[in-house]
Amino acid sequence: MVGVDITLKFMGTFTMKLNNAHPGVIFKRKYIRGRREPVNGNKQYQLYEFSEKTGISRQYWGDVFAGRKRVTAKMALLMATVSKENATHWAILQAEYDIMQAQKNKKYRR
């Protein structure tokens, strides 16, 4: 079984180690907050604020942030409008995630 650990450093404040993390999950942890969560140093949005800002439904973003839907090129562009990372960053994370998922599948392993 092939496994890749991803260690992310966010603005020098904390480190998060993720194993096979979906880019939507990463984005949510950094930029989306729950209704009762306090705001940290980064600009964080509640899900309804983010969906209004981007013009995409809360349900769709909820699926992306839960890892049920892929981060498409359009989604990556919208995510880049509120994050410090560019759209290419989110698209590359999605491609890496897809490769890791394919490697888990016995059909594609050597």
Side-chain angles (χ1 to χ4, degrees):
M1 164 96 40
V2 176
V4 178
D5 288 332
I6 301 170
T7 302
L8 303 170
K9 292 189 178 188
F10 294 115
M11 311 310 274
T13 56
F14 67 94
T15 301
M16 180 177 10
K17 191 166 187 172
L18 301 169
N19 188 15
N20 299 338
H22 187 278
V25 174
I26 296 169
F27 184 88
K28 180 181 178 188
R29 288 186 181 173
K30 188 171 181 185
Y31 294 105
I32 304 297
R33 65 182 169 87
R35 290 183 298 159
R36 293 183 175 88
E37 293 179 22
V39 177
N40 67 15
N42 294 331
K43 171 64 176 156
Q44 287 191 312
Y45 296 87
Q46 288 186 356
L47 184 56
Y48 81 90
E49 293 173 319
F50 186 69
S51 69
E52 286 178 359
K53 183 174 178 66
T54 59
I56 305 293
S57 74
R58 287 182 295 168
Q59 179 63 46
Y60 191 88
W61 280 120
D63 288 343
V64 170
F65 297 151
R68 291 187 295 267
K69 291 198 183 279
R70 298 182 77 249
V71 173
T72 64
K74 180 180 177 181
M75 297 297 122
L77 287 168
L78 292 171
M79 291 162 73
T81 61
V82 300
S83 69
K84 293 179 174 65
E85 294 84 15
N86 61 25
T88 305
H89 170 79
W90 298 112
I92 289 171
L93 284 179
Q94 181 65 55
E96 289 173 350
Y97 177 79
D98 292 342
I99 290 169
M100 285 186 271
Q101 294 304 306
Q103 287 174 336
K104 284 182 177 180
N105 186 343
K106 292 179 183 178
K107 181 178 177 181
Y108 297 108
R109 283 194 278 164
R110 293 182 191 178

